[in-house]
Amino acid sequence: MDINRQILSEYLDFSAYHTPEKLALIDANQQMSYGQLRHHALQLARYISRQGVGRGDRVMLYMTNSISFIQCFWAIQYLGGVFIPVNPETKYEKLAWLIDDSESALVVVDEALMAEFGKAREVMKSQPALLVNGLFSDGVTSLEQALNGEYSQTDLNPPISQDLAAIIYTSGSTGMPKGVMLTQKNMVAASKSVSTYLRLSSSDRIFCALPLSFDYGLHQVTMSALHSATLIIEASFSQPLFVMHRLVKQQATVFPMVPTMLSLIEPLAKRFDLSCVRTVTNTAAALHPDAIDKVQKIFSAAQLYSMYGLTECHRCTYLEPEMLPQRKESVGKAIPNTEMWLVDDEGREYRSNATGELVIRGDTVMPGYWRNPEKTAEKLKPGRYPGEMVLYTGDICRLDDEGYLYFVGRKDEILKSCGEKVAPKEVETVIAALAGVAQVAVIGVPHAVYGDEIVAWVEQQTELSREQIKVWCQQHLESYMVPHRFFIRDSLPKNGNGKIDRPLLGKLSQPVATSEELFA
């Protein structure tokens, strides 16, 4: 198949032209062909254009996984707009900040999330246009109304490869999210590179239970369109029995997963014939060697690709399935059309037998953080050629004598839990706002399933309970940011400078269960 396409909308154009009847999308409620998907995306693009939103304008989706979400994504690409996905668990304070920071011209909201959006609208400074996915009225246009409108065939203003395709917000060490800018070129390069080593084809049926607001999930959308494959969309993995039933019923061939899914799949696996799955991928957090054995036993007919990446360049490395037996702890080598090396504290470069900060060079590397030149300068530094910038990941890694990469840890305080980046400061700020809290420290403890287990140590002024603090966190944080464990004390240990002794708290935190206990 010819994949010489330079902007994302050309993926959908190609698939709709050559295979218009091919099934593009399936979710719990409907299915859609490539021809239908392109028609609906163009309809939405023309509606959005009539609202005064055009090329370069930001459009935010505050939606759960669905065909509607993907229709909106492609509409924004045809419009030449900048797609901004937001986790549907995002609370109104952060949602308001994201809308203001991005200066979104339009927000598309699921009807079920309108109450939270309404609270955000009361505190945010900007007033973007609104489109609702559902029956909500109050004078607001619904997605269905927009799709069924009659529009002139006025040509839309397509982007070029240098234009922004998306901004994906990720946690920052200061507690304020950073908007990772991704160009058309970035996303095209990532989808081509990853789908090449995964050997995706038009016969594949990709099963996506990952959040589409997460770049790992989003790239399933682009890769399936690139290869005219079928994408099966699951709302979430919260009901694993039903999810696994759908995976088998739909005869999925490709299953992208994260480590937290494994503990939910393992007790159910014997109920299902999973021989339809030929490829399993994992990223977000490295699979523990014992977990790799579990995956290979459960999906015995599949090849497992262990991968590593970050939003700023989507994917850094992958390990060829045939290398798993001897290198279970490695995340492999650089993906196609990408270079990697390590640098030490003096800036010396190494490509084997070294430990240092990982540096990535290639077309997948972001141009920077949205309106954040200071943080951009920390990550992007001059490369080999004049004017070129390369990505300093902030991840400390090790290279063996053959150049295979092993993740060691992070330079900053950002935690990686359940596949998501979590800023301890953001969690601490929320807990500190609870009446009765004097001080709080949030740390990460290595965990075979979560990656980093989030542990909160709270110094109380008045009597507090773990349940009280947990409920407060659930009300003000996304679920993946809520600490897994809480320790409440009348005072927290301090170091010689009078600051909370975080290393000591790490040692005092109870050890997590072993991988054998977790997967027993």
Side-chain angles (χ1 to χ4, degrees), residues 384-417:
R384 181 178 304 163
Y385 301 110
E388 177 189 53
M389 305 299 280
V390 295
L391 176 67
Y392 280 63
T393 64
D395 289 344
I396 303 302
C397 298
R398 177 175 64 85
L399 285 170
D400 66 17
D401 57 352
E402 294 184 44
Y404 282 87
L405 192 75
Y406 300 78
F407 179 81
V408 176
R410 293 190 59 82
K411 288 181 67 176
D412 58 25
E413 296 180 351
I414 296 295
L415 307 179
K416 199 72 174 290
S417 183

PDB file of all heavy atoms in Angstrom, residues 384-417:
ATOM      1  N   ARG A 384      22.796  17.992  16.009  1.00  0.00           N
ATOM      2  CA  ARG A 384      23.997  17.823  15.209  1.00  0.00           C
ATOM      3  C   ARG A 384      24.187  18.934  14.195  1.00  0.00           C
ATOM      4  O   ARG A 384      25.296  19.381  13.931  1.00  0.00           O
ATOM      5  CB  ARG A 384      23.925  16.467  14.506  1.00  0.00           C
ATOM      6  CG  ARG A 384      25.116  16.123  13.632  1.00  0.00           C
ATOM      7  CD  ARG A 384      24.948  14.738  13.037  1.00  0.00           C
ATOM      8  NE  ARG A 384      24.749  13.740  14.098  1.00  0.00           N
ATOM      9  CZ  ARG A 384      24.255  12.514  13.878  1.00  0.00           C
ATOM     10  NH1 ARG A 384      23.890  12.166  12.662  1.00  0.00           N
ATOM     11  NH2 ARG A 384      24.132  11.670  14.880  1.00  0.00           N
ATOM     12  N   TYR A 385      23.093  19.397  13.594  1.00  0.00           N
ATOM     13  CA  TYR A 385      23.180  20.381  12.519  1.00  0.00           C
ATOM     14  C   TYR A 385      22.650  21.741  12.979  1.00  0.00           C
ATOM     15  O   TYR A 385      21.791  21.820  13.869  1.00  0.00           O
ATOM     16  CB  TYR A 385      22.394  19.892  11.297  1.00  0.00           C
ATOM     17  CG  TYR A 385      22.892  18.567  10.768  1.00  0.00           C
ATOM     18  CD1 TYR A 385      22.132  17.412  10.894  1.00  0.00           C
ATOM     19  CD2 TYR A 385      24.152  18.471  10.158  1.00  0.00           C
ATOM     20  CE1 TYR A 385      22.598  16.189  10.429  1.00  0.00           C
ATOM     21  CE2 TYR A 385      24.617  17.259   9.683  1.00  0.00           C
ATOM     22  CZ  TYR A 385      23.837  16.119   9.817  1.00  0.00           C
ATOM     23  OH  TYR A 385      24.312  14.905   9.353  1.00  0.00           O
ATOM     24  N   PRO A 386      23.147  22.812  12.369  1.00  0.00           N
ATOM     25  CA  PRO A 386      22.681  24.162  12.744  1.00  0.00           C
ATOM     26  C   PRO A 386      21.161  24.281  12.628  1.00  0.00           C
ATOM     27  O   PRO A 386      20.577  23.908  11.604  1.00  0.00           O
ATOM     28  CB  PRO A 386      23.399  25.069  11.736  1.00  0.00           C
ATOM     29  CG  PRO A 386      24.614  24.309  11.332  1.00  0.00           C
ATOM     30  CD  PRO A 386      24.208  22.865  11.333  1.00  0.00           C
ATOM     31  N   GLY A 387      20.541  24.787  13.666  1.00  0.00           N
ATOM     32  CA  GLY A 387      19.089  24.978  13.657  1.00  0.00           C
ATOM     33  C   GLY A 387      18.296  23.765  14.095  1.00  0.00           C
ATOM     34  O   GLY A 387      17.096  23.866  14.360  1.00  0.00           O
ATOM     35  N   GLU A 388      18.949  22.612  14.187  1.00  0.00           N
ATOM     36  CA  GLU A 388      18.239  21.388  14.575  1.00  0.00           C
ATOM     37  C   GLU A 388      18.128  21.298  16.087  1.00  0.00           C
ATOM     38  O   GLU A 388      19.062  21.646  16.813  1.00  0.00           O
ATOM     39  CB  GLU A 388      18.988  20.173  14.045  1.00  0.00           C
ATOM     40  CG  GLU A 388      18.364  18.845  14.465  1.00  0.00           C
ATOM     41  CD  GLU A 388      19.243  17.651  14.113  1.00  0.00           C
ATOM     42  OE1 GLU A 388      20.427  17.634  14.494  1.00  0.00           O
ATOM     43  OE2 GLU A 388      18.731  16.742  13.443  1.00  0.00           O
ATOM     44  N   MET A 389      16.976  20.809  16.581  1.00  0.00           N
ATOM     45  CA  MET A 389      16.787  20.611  18.006  1.00  0.00           C
ATOM     46  C   MET A 389      16.482  19.138  18.274  1.00  0.00           C
ATOM     47  O   MET A 389      15.760  18.487  17.515  1.00  0.00           O
ATOM     48  CB  MET A 389      15.638  21.479  18.523  1.00  0.00           C
ATOM     49  CG  MET A 389      15.775  22.967  18.217  1.00  0.00           C
ATOM     50  SD  MET A 389      17.250  23.717  18.951  1.00  0.00           S
ATOM     51  CE  MET A 389      16.678  23.958  20.635  1.00  0.00           C
ATOM     52  N   VAL A 390      17.039  18.608  19.372  1.00  0.00           N
ATOM     53  CA  VAL A 390      16.786  17.229  19.762  1.00  0.00           C
ATOM     54  C   VAL A 390      16.160  17.218  21.151  1.00  0.00           C
ATOM     55  O   VAL A 390      16.252  18.196  21.901  1.00  0.00           O
ATOM     56  CB  VAL A 390      18.079  16.385  19.740  1.00  0.00           C
ATOM     57  CG1 VAL A 390      18.614  16.274  18.323  1.00  0.00           C
ATOM     58  CG2 VAL A 390      19.135  16.976  20.670  1.00  0.00           C
ATOM     59  N   LEU A 391      15.518  16.107  21.490  1.00  0.00           N
ATOM     60  CA  LEU A 391      14.744  16.019  22.724  1.00  0.00           C
ATOM     61  C   LEU A 391      15.549  15.365  23.842  1.00  0.00           C
ATOM     62  O   LEU A 391      15.960  14.216  23.729  1.00  0.00           O
ATOM     63  CB  LEU A 391      13.465  15.206  22.477  1.00  0.00           C
ATOM     64  CG  LEU A 391      12.586  14.929  23.700  1.00  0.00           C
ATOM     65  CD1 LEU A 391      11.970  16.231  24.224  1.00  0.00           C
ATOM     66  CD2 LEU A 391      11.490  13.916  23.358  1.00  0.00           C
ATOM     67  N   TYR A 392      15.766  16.131  24.911  1.00  0.00           N
ATOM     68  CA  TYR A 392      16.336  15.585  26.135  1.00  0.00           C
ATOM     69  C   TYR A 392      15.155  15.137  26.998  1.00  0.00           C
ATOM     70  O   TYR A 392      14.398  15.949  27.513  1.00  0.00           O
ATOM     71  CB  TYR A 392      17.188  16.637  26.846  1.00  0.00           C
ATOM     72  CG  TYR A 392      18.569  16.788  26.248  1.00  0.00           C
ATOM     73  CD1 TYR A 392      18.740  17.229  24.939  1.00  0.00           C
ATOM     74  CD2 TYR A 392      19.705  16.462  26.984  1.00  0.00           C
ATOM     75  CE1 TYR A 392      20.011  17.347  24.369  1.00  0.00           C
ATOM     76  CE2 TYR A 392      20.978  16.580  26.434  1.00  0.00           C
ATOM     77  CZ  TYR A 392      21.121  17.022  25.121  1.00  0.00           C
ATOM     78  OH  TYR A 392      22.378  17.121  24.575  1.00  0.00           O
ATOM     79  N   THR A 393      14.997  13.822  27.128  1.00  0.00           N
ATOM     80  CA  THR A 393      13.757  13.268  27.676  1.00  0.00           C
ATOM     81  C   THR A 393      13.589  13.476  29.176  1.00  0.00           C
ATOM     82  O   THR A 393      12.465  13.418  29.681  1.00  0.00           O
ATOM     83  CB  THR A 393      13.681  11.764  27.390  1.00  0.00           C
ATOM     84  OG1 THR A 393      14.756  11.100  28.078  1.00  0.00           O
ATOM     85  CG2 THR A 393      13.779  11.490  25.891  1.00  0.00           C
ATOM     86  N   GLY A 394      14.700  13.663  29.907  1.00  0.00           N
ATOM     87  CA  GLY A 394      14.604  13.702  31.360  1.00  0.00           C
ATOM     88  C   GLY A 394      14.563  12.326  31.981  1.00  0.00           C
ATOM     89  O   GLY A 394      14.456  12.189  33.203  1.00  0.00           O
ATOM     90  N   ASP A 395      14.677  11.276  31.144  1.00  0.00           N
ATOM     91  CA  ASP A 395      14.671   9.902  31.632  1.00  0.00           C
ATOM     92  C   ASP A 395      16.099   9.365  31.692  1.00  0.00           C
ATOM     93  O   ASP A 395      16.863   9.492  30.728  1.00  0.00           O
ATOM     94  CB  ASP A 395      13.839   9.000  30.725  1.00  0.00           C
ATOM     95  CG  ASP A 395      12.348   9.282  30.833  1.00  0.00           C
ATOM     96  OD1 ASP A 395      11.951   9.936  31.808  1.00  0.00           O
ATOM     97  OD2 ASP A 395      11.601   8.842  29.953  1.00  0.00           O
ATOM     98  N   ILE A 396      16.458   8.790  32.823  1.00  0.00           N
ATOM     99  CA  ILE A 396      17.766   8.167  32.984  1.00  0.00           C
ATOM    100  C   ILE A 396      17.639   6.705  32.545  1.00  0.00           C
ATOM    101  O   ILE A 396      16.790   5.964  33.049  1.00  0.00           O
ATOM    102  CB  ILE A 396      18.262   8.255  34.437  1.00  0.00           C
ATOM    103  CG1 ILE A 396      18.301   9.716  34.885  1.00  0.00           C
ATOM    104  CG2 ILE A 396      19.630   7.607  34.563  1.00  0.00           C
ATOM    105  CD1 ILE A 396      19.185  10.602  34.032  1.00  0.00           C
ATOM    106  N   CYS A 397      18.498   6.325  31.586  1.00  0.00           N
ATOM    107  CA  CYS A 397      18.435   4.983  31.022  1.00  0.00           C
ATOM    108  C   CYS A 397      19.829   4.379  30.965  1.00  0.00           C
ATOM    109  O   CYS A 397      20.840   5.074  31.114  1.00  0.00           O
ATOM    110  CB  CYS A 397      17.834   5.017  29.620  1.00  0.00           C
ATOM    111  SG  CYS A 397      16.127   5.620  29.557  1.00  0.00           S
ATOM    112  N   ARG A 398      19.863   3.081  30.706  1.00  0.00           N
ATOM    113  CA  ARG A 398      21.129   2.370  30.542  1.00  0.00           C
ATOM    114  C   ARG A 398      21.154   1.699  29.177  1.00  0.00           C
ATOM    115  O   ARG A 398      20.135   1.162  28.727  1.00  0.00           O
ATOM    116  CB  ARG A 398      21.276   1.312  31.644  1.00  0.00           C
ATOM    117  CG  ARG A 398      22.535   0.448  31.520  1.00  0.00           C
ATOM    118  CD  ARG A 398      22.675  -0.481  32.710  1.00  0.00           C
ATOM    119  NE  ARG A 398      21.586  -1.443  32.793  1.00  0.00           N
ATOM    120  CZ  ARG A 398      21.562  -2.615  32.135  1.00  0.00           C
ATOM    121  NH1 ARG A 398      22.562  -2.945  31.320  1.00  0.00           N
ATOM    122  NH2 ARG A 398      20.548  -3.440  32.289  1.00  0.00           N
ATOM    123  N   LEU A 399      22.286   1.741  28.507  1.00  0.00           N
ATOM    124  CA  LEU A 399      22.495   1.018  27.261  1.00  0.00           C
ATOM    125  C   LEU A 399      23.468  -0.124  27.517  1.00  0.00           C
ATOM    126  O   LEU A 399      24.510   0.076  28.155  1.00  0.00           O
ATOM    127  CB  LEU A 399      23.079   1.940  26.187  1.00  0.00           C
ATOM    128  CG  LEU A 399      22.124   2.942  25.533  1.00  0.00           C
ATOM    129  CD1 LEU A 399      22.911   3.932  24.677  1.00  0.00           C
ATOM    130  CD2 LEU A 399      21.066   2.228  24.693  1.00  0.00           C
ATOM    131  N   ASP A 400      23.135  -1.318  27.023  1.00  0.00           N
ATOM    132  CA  ASP A 400      24.063  -2.435  27.179  1.00  0.00           C
ATOM    133  C   ASP A 400      25.085  -2.432  26.044  1.00  0.00           C
ATOM    134  O   ASP A 400      25.121  -1.505  25.220  1.00  0.00           O
ATOM    135  CB  ASP A 400      23.311  -3.767  27.290  1.00  0.00           C
ATOM    136  CG  ASP A 400      22.559  -4.158  26.020  1.00  0.00           C
ATOM    137  OD1 ASP A 400      22.856  -3.595  24.942  1.00  0.00           O
ATOM    138  OD2 ASP A 400      21.689  -5.045  26.111  1.00  0.00           O
ATOM    139  N   ASP A 401      25.909  -3.478  25.986  1.00  0.00           N
ATOM    140  CA  ASP A 401      27.001  -3.478  25.015  1.00  0.00           C
ATOM    141  C   ASP A 401      26.520  -3.598  23.575  1.00  0.00           C
ATOM    142  O   ASP A 401      27.278  -3.306  22.641  1.00  0.00           O
ATOM    143  CB  ASP A 401      28.013  -4.592  25.328  1.00  0.00           C
ATOM    144  CG  ASP A 401      27.360  -5.967  25.372  1.00  0.00           C
ATOM    145  OD1 ASP A 401      26.122  -6.054  25.308  1.00  0.00           O
ATOM    146  OD2 ASP A 401      28.104  -6.961  25.483  1.00  0.00           O
ATOM    147  N   GLU A 402      25.268  -4.004  23.362  1.00  0.00           N
ATOM    148  CA  GLU A 402      24.718  -4.100  22.013  1.00  0.00           C
ATOM    149  C   GLU A 402      23.759  -2.949  21.697  1.00  0.00           C
ATOM    150  O   GLU A 402      23.086  -2.965  20.673  1.00  0.00           O
ATOM    151  CB  GLU A 402      24.018  -5.443  21.813  1.00  0.00           C
ATOM    152  CG  GLU A 402      24.965  -6.635  21.857  1.00  0.00           C
ATOM    153  CD  GLU A 402      24.249  -7.934  21.550  1.00  0.00           C
ATOM    154  OE1 GLU A 402      23.436  -7.964  20.595  1.00  0.00           O
ATOM    155  OE2 GLU A 402      24.489  -8.922  22.268  1.00  0.00           O
ATOM    156  N   GLY A 403      23.676  -1.969  22.601  1.00  0.00           N
ATOM    157  CA  GLY A 403      22.854  -0.791  22.340  1.00  0.00           C
ATOM    158  C   GLY A 403      21.392  -0.946  22.675  1.00  0.00           C
ATOM    159  O   GLY A 403      20.567  -0.137  22.241  1.00  0.00           O
ATOM    160  N   TYR A 404      21.035  -1.960  23.480  1.00  0.00           N
ATOM    161  CA  TYR A 404      19.650  -2.118  23.922  1.00  0.00           C
ATOM    162  C   TYR A 404      19.414  -1.257  25.162  1.00  0.00           C
ATOM    163  O   TYR A 404      20.280  -1.181  26.047  1.00  0.00           O
ATOM    164  CB  TYR A 404      19.320  -3.578  24.219  1.00  0.00           C
ATOM    165  CG  TYR A 404      19.061  -4.381  22.961  1.00  0.00           C
ATOM    166  CD1 TYR A 404      20.105  -4.982  22.271  1.00  0.00           C
ATOM    167  CD2 TYR A 404      17.767  -4.511  22.455  1.00  0.00           C
ATOM    168  CE1 TYR A 404      19.873  -5.698  21.108  1.00  0.00           C
ATOM    169  CE2 TYR A 404      17.529  -5.224  21.302  1.00  0.00           C
ATOM    170  CZ  TYR A 404      18.582  -5.815  20.620  1.00  0.00           C
ATOM    171  OH  TYR A 404      18.344  -6.519  19.470  1.00  0.00           O
ATOM    172  N   LEU A 405      18.241  -0.642  25.228  1.00  0.00           N
ATOM    173  CA  LEU A 405      17.938   0.363  26.251  1.00  0.00           C
ATOM    174  C   LEU A 405      17.183  -0.238  27.430  1.00  0.00           C
ATOM    175  O   LEU A 405      16.291  -1.079  27.250  1.00  0.00           O
ATOM    176  CB  LEU A 405      17.108   1.488  25.630  1.00  0.00           C
ATOM    177  CG  LEU A 405      16.947   2.760  26.464  1.00  0.00           C
ATOM    178  CD1 LEU A 405      18.242   3.564  26.429  1.00  0.00           C
ATOM    179  CD2 LEU A 405      15.799   3.620  25.923  1.00  0.00           C
ATOM    180  N   TYR A 406      17.510   0.259  28.634  1.00  0.00           N
ATOM    181  CA  TYR A 406      16.843  -0.152  29.867  1.00  0.00           C
ATOM    182  C   TYR A 406      16.492   1.120  30.643  1.00  0.00           C
ATOM    183  O   TYR A 406      17.357   1.950  30.904  1.00  0.00           O
ATOM    184  CB  TYR A 406      17.745  -1.044  30.717  1.00  0.00           C
ATOM    185  CG  TYR A 406      18.165  -2.318  30.028  1.00  0.00           C
ATOM    186  CD1 TYR A 406      19.175  -2.295  29.062  1.00  0.00           C
ATOM    187  CD2 TYR A 406      17.551  -3.529  30.321  1.00  0.00           C
ATOM    188  CE1 TYR A 406      19.569  -3.456  28.408  1.00  0.00           C
ATOM    189  CE2 TYR A 406      17.938  -4.696  29.679  1.00  0.00           C
ATOM    190  CZ  TYR A 406      18.940  -4.657  28.717  1.00  0.00           C
ATOM    191  OH  TYR A 406      19.313  -5.813  28.071  1.00  0.00           O
ATOM    192  N   PHE A 407      15.217   1.261  31.011  1.00  0.00           N
ATOM    193  CA  PHE A 407      14.780   2.441  31.763  1.00  0.00           C
ATOM    194  C   PHE A 407      15.236   2.322  33.209  1.00  0.00           C
ATOM    195  O   PHE A 407      15.070   1.279  33.847  1.00  0.00           O
ATOM    196  CB  PHE A 407      13.259   2.573  31.690  1.00  0.00           C
ATOM    197  CG  PHE A 407      12.702   3.747  32.457  1.00  0.00           C
ATOM    198  CD1 PHE A 407      12.723   5.016  31.911  1.00  0.00           C
ATOM    199  CD2 PHE A 407      12.175   3.571  33.724  1.00  0.00           C
ATOM    200  CE1 PHE A 407      12.221   6.107  32.611  1.00  0.00           C
ATOM    201  CE2 PHE A 407      11.666   4.650  34.437  1.00  0.00           C
ATOM    202  CZ  PHE A 407      11.691   5.922  33.878  1.00  0.00           C
ATOM    203  N   VAL A 408      15.799   3.411  33.759  1.00  0.00           N
ATOM    204  CA  VAL A 408      16.289   3.424  35.139  1.00  0.00           C
ATOM    205  C   VAL A 408      15.411   4.301  36.032  1.00  0.00           C
ATOM    206  O   VAL A 408      14.973   3.892  37.102  1.00  0.00           O
ATOM    207  CB  VAL A 408      17.750   3.910  35.200  1.00  0.00           C
ATOM    208  CG1 VAL A 408      18.219   4.017  36.650  1.00  0.00           C
ATOM    209  CG2 VAL A 408      18.658   2.954  34.418  1.00  0.00           C
ATOM    210  N   GLY A 409      15.132   5.535  35.609  1.00  0.00           N
ATOM    211  CA  GLY A 409      14.324   6.449  36.422  1.00  0.00           C
ATOM    212  C   GLY A 409      14.221   7.803  35.755  1.00  0.00           C
ATOM    213  O   GLY A 409      14.688   8.002  34.638  1.00  0.00           O
ATOM    214  N   ARG A 410      13.600   8.761  36.456  1.00  0.00           N
ATOM    215  CA  ARG A 410      13.400  10.095  35.915  1.00  0.00           C
ATOM    216  C   ARG A 410      14.243  11.113  36.673  1.00  0.00           C
ATOM    217  O   ARG A 410      14.447  10.988  37.876  1.00  0.00           O
ATOM    218  CB  ARG A 410      11.925  10.503  35.988  1.00  0.00           C
ATOM    219  CG  ARG A 410      11.026   9.682  35.081  1.00  0.00           C
ATOM    220  CD  ARG A 410       9.639  10.287  35.001  1.00  0.00           C
ATOM    221  NE  ARG A 410       9.659  11.661  34.502  1.00  0.00           N
ATOM    222  CZ  ARG A 410       9.719  11.980  33.211  1.00  0.00           C
ATOM    223  NH1 ARG A 410       9.760  11.054  32.294  1.00  0.00           N
ATOM    224  NH2 ARG A 410       9.723  13.255  32.836  1.00  0.00           N
ATOM    225  N   LYS A 411      14.692  12.134  35.932  1.00  0.00           N
ATOM    226  CA  LYS A 411      15.472  13.199  36.559  1.00  0.00           C
ATOM    227  C   LYS A 411      14.591  14.118  37.391  1.00  0.00           C
ATOM    228  O   LYS A 411      15.013  14.626  38.416  1.00  0.00           O
ATOM    229  CB  LYS A 411      16.197  14.027  35.493  1.00  0.00           C
ATOM    230  CG  LYS A 411      17.367  13.326  34.832  1.00  0.00           C
ATOM    231  CD  LYS A 411      18.046  14.212  33.805  1.00  0.00           C
ATOM    232  CE  LYS A 411      18.736  15.409  34.431  1.00  0.00           C
ATOM    233  NZ  LYS A 411      19.480  16.205  33.429  1.00  0.00           N
ATOM    234  N   ASP A 412      13.353  14.355  36.908  1.00  0.00           N
ATOM    235  CA  ASP A 412      12.467  15.267  37.636  1.00  0.00           C
ATOM    236  C   ASP A 412      11.579  14.473  38.599  1.00  0.00           C
ATOM    237  O   ASP A 412      11.769  13.280  38.807  1.00  0.00           O
ATOM    238  CB  ASP A 412      11.633  16.111  36.672  1.00  0.00           C
ATOM    239  CG  ASP A 412      10.790  15.245  35.731  1.00  0.00           C
ATOM    240  OD1 ASP A 412      10.467  14.100  36.098  1.00  0.00           O
ATOM    241  OD2 ASP A 412      10.456  15.724  34.630  1.00  0.00           O
ATOM    242  N   GLU A 413      10.614  15.135  39.190  1.00  0.00           N
ATOM    243  CA  GLU A 413       9.770  14.496  40.196  1.00  0.00           C
ATOM    244  C   GLU A 413       8.522  13.856  39.602  1.00  0.00           C
ATOM    245  O   GLU A 413       7.702  13.301  40.338  1.00  0.00           O
ATOM    246  CB  GLU A 413       9.342  15.536  41.241  1.00  0.00           C
ATOM    247  CG  GLU A 413      10.500  16.113  42.047  1.00  0.00           C
ATOM    248  CD  GLU A 413      10.040  17.125  43.070  1.00  0.00           C
ATOM    249  OE1 GLU A 413       8.854  17.510  43.038  1.00  0.00           O
ATOM    250  OE2 GLU A 413      10.864  17.532  43.898  1.00  0.00           O
ATOM    251  N   ILE A 414       8.353  13.940  38.303  1.00  0.00           N
ATOM    252  CA  ILE A 414       7.155  13.394  37.685  1.00  0.00           C
ATOM    253  C   ILE A 414       7.082  11.887  37.885  1.00  0.00           C
ATOM    254  O   ILE A 414       8.052  11.163  37.669  1.00  0.00           O
ATOM    255  CB  ILE A 414       7.113  13.719  36.176  1.00  0.00           C
ATOM    256  CG1 ILE A 414       7.007  15.222  35.971  1.00  0.00           C
ATOM    257  CG2 ILE A 414       5.943  13.017  35.504  1.00  0.00           C
ATOM    258  CD1 ILE A 414       5.720  15.827  36.483  1.00  0.00           C
ATOM    259  N   LEU A 415       5.922  11.399  38.297  1.00  0.00           N
ATOM    260  CA  LEU A 415       5.682   9.970  38.450  1.00  0.00           C
ATOM    261  C   LEU A 415       4.997   9.440  37.204  1.00  0.00           C
ATOM    262  O   LEU A 415       4.304  10.176  36.503  1.00  0.00           O
ATOM    263  CB  LEU A 415       4.811   9.700  39.679  1.00  0.00           C
ATOM    264  CG  LEU A 415       5.279  10.310  41.012  1.00  0.00           C
ATOM    265  CD1 LEU A 415       4.293   9.974  42.114  1.00  0.00           C
ATOM    266  CD2 LEU A 415       6.673   9.816  41.366  1.00  0.00           C
ATOM    267  N   LYS A 416       5.170   8.178  36.925  1.00  0.00           N
ATOM    268  CA  LYS A 416       4.467   7.516  35.815  1.00  0.00           C
ATOM    269  C   LYS A 416       3.629   6.406  36.432  1.00  0.00           C
ATOM    270  O   LYS A 416       4.133   5.343  36.792  1.00  0.00           O
ATOM    271  CB  LYS A 416       5.488   6.952  34.828  1.00  0.00           C
ATOM    272  CG  LYS A 416       4.947   6.639  33.437  1.00  0.00           C
ATOM    273  CD  LYS A 416       4.657   7.900  32.646  1.00  0.00           C
ATOM    274  CE  LYS A 416       4.255   7.615  31.209  1.00  0.00           C
ATOM    275  NZ  LYS A 416       5.360   7.116  30.379  1.00  0.00           N
ATOM    276  N   SER A 417       2.337   6.665  36.596  1.00  0.00           N
ATOM    277  CA  SER A 417       1.447   5.729  37.273  1.00  0.00           C
ATOM    278  C   SER A 417       0.290   5.342  36.370  1.00  0.00           C
ATOM    279  O   SER A 417      -0.379   6.218  35.802  1.00  0.00           O
ATOM    280  CB  SER A 417       0.909   6.352  38.566  1.00  0.00           C
ATOM    281  OG  SER A 417       0.102   5.436  39.268  1.00  0.00           O
TER     282      SER A 417
END
